[in-house]
Each structure stands twice: as structure tokens, then as C-alpha cells.
Amino acid sequence: MKELDVVGLKEDYKEISKGTKGTIVLIYDDKNCEVEFFDKDGDTIDVVMTPLKKLELIESF
């Protein structure tokens, strides 16, 4: 996975539910990244540091 890829959560993380989609905005290292998560209307829910292992790739850019 890389910056700008669309991802989904494989499990609940912090206050964000499994299946929520987001975009990777920053890769910290080979384990963690910053993801901007969106609701079904496309509005930002939150930007959260997320372990890559909790994410699944939906669309690569």
C-alpha cells in the first residue's frame, strides 16, 4: 500500500468501525500510516495513525 491508495478497515480501530473506507495520506514506516477516513457521504470522519495490518487495499492509485 502507498500514499493515496483507498483502503478499508479489516476490524474496528479506535472509534472507527470495520469496513470504513479511507485514503492513505502519509506512510510513516513499514508498519504504520496516516489515514483520512470518510463516511458514506464522503465527509471526513477523522485522520488517524493506523497500523497497515488493520487495512485492506480497495483501490490503488
Side-chain angles (χ1 to χ4, degrees), residues 8-57:
L9 270 177
K10 294 193 289 187
E11 59 190 70
D12 291 350
Y13 182 65
K14 299 195 175 188
E15 296 181 13
I16 301 173
S17 301
K18 175 182 176 180
T20 301
K21 293 181 183 179
T23 300
I24 296 176
V25 294
L26 180 66
I27 299 285
Y28 290 120
D29 52 34
D30 60 346
K31 295 181 181 176
N32 297 293
C33 64
E34 193 85 9
V35 179
E36 183 175 2
F37 289 101
F38 302 94
D39 64 17
K40 61 182 173 79
D41 296 322
D43 297 320
T44 300
I45 296 170
D46 203 352
V47 179
V48 180
M49 191 280 299
T50 309
L52 288 166
K53 67 182 182 180
K54 295 190 178 288
L55 301 171
E56 62 183 343
L57 181 64

